[in-house]
Amino acid sequence: MTTIKQEIRNRWTNAVQFTADITCAPDATIGVRIGLAVKWARQNDANLRGADLRYADLSSADLRYADLRGADLRYANLYDANLRGANLSDADLSGADLRYADLSSADLRYADLRGADLRYANLYDANLRGANLSDADLSGADLRYADLSSADLRYA
């Protein structure tokens, strides 16, 4: 295990948003390194809004009430993550693994969830207004009280 500095950039400007000091194996994948940087960010109040977090390994991560507005989480592993009350409006979660994730009361307005795996996800009372859920797998998902107004559910 070694300590390294992992930069997280803004998805729109490519400017460095924050630099995290993380400890991982020297051959750790980029997904693992980004996941550790996000966990560091949560502990250090770093800004995750609009961050480029593609392919991040955030399985079982505690991201309750996180501000991830506009973040790029394409193909991220969010299996069993706690995103209760998180703000994911305008975030790109296309192709993300959100199986068993807790997204109850999360703000997913206008989020891109095309092709996302939401099997058995808890979307109770989630705001999915205008979200793109085309080709998403919602098998077994809890959608009670979810706002799906103007959401794209084609082939979901």
Side-chain angles (χ1 to χ4, degrees), residues 43-82:
Q43 294 172 347
N44 292 280
D45 296 321
N47 180 10
L48 291 168
R49 192 173 173 185
D52 183 350
L53 306 173
R54 286 173 293 168
Y55 303 102
D57 183 351
L58 293 163
S59 55
S60 301
D62 184 358
L63 297 167
R64 286 176 291 175
Y65 305 103
D67 185 355
L68 292 157
R69 284 178 282 177
D72 188 347
L73 287 153
R74 284 179 288 168
Y75 305 105
N77 179 0
L78 290 153
Y79 178 90
D80 196 38
N82 188 345

Side-chain angles (χ1 to χ4, degrees), residues 88-131:
L88 291 151
S89 59
D90 295 308
D92 190 342
L93 292 146
S94 54
D97 182 353
L98 289 152
R99 289 173 297 152
Y100 298 96
D102 185 355
L103 291 151
S104 56
S105 300
D107 185 351
L108 290 150
R109 285 174 296 154
Y110 306 104
D112 187 347
L113 291 149
R114 285 176 295 161
D117 191 345
L118 289 152
R119 285 178 289 168
Y120 304 102
N122 181 0
L123 290 155
Y124 181 92
D125 197 36
N127 187 347
L128 290 152
R129 179 182 293 268

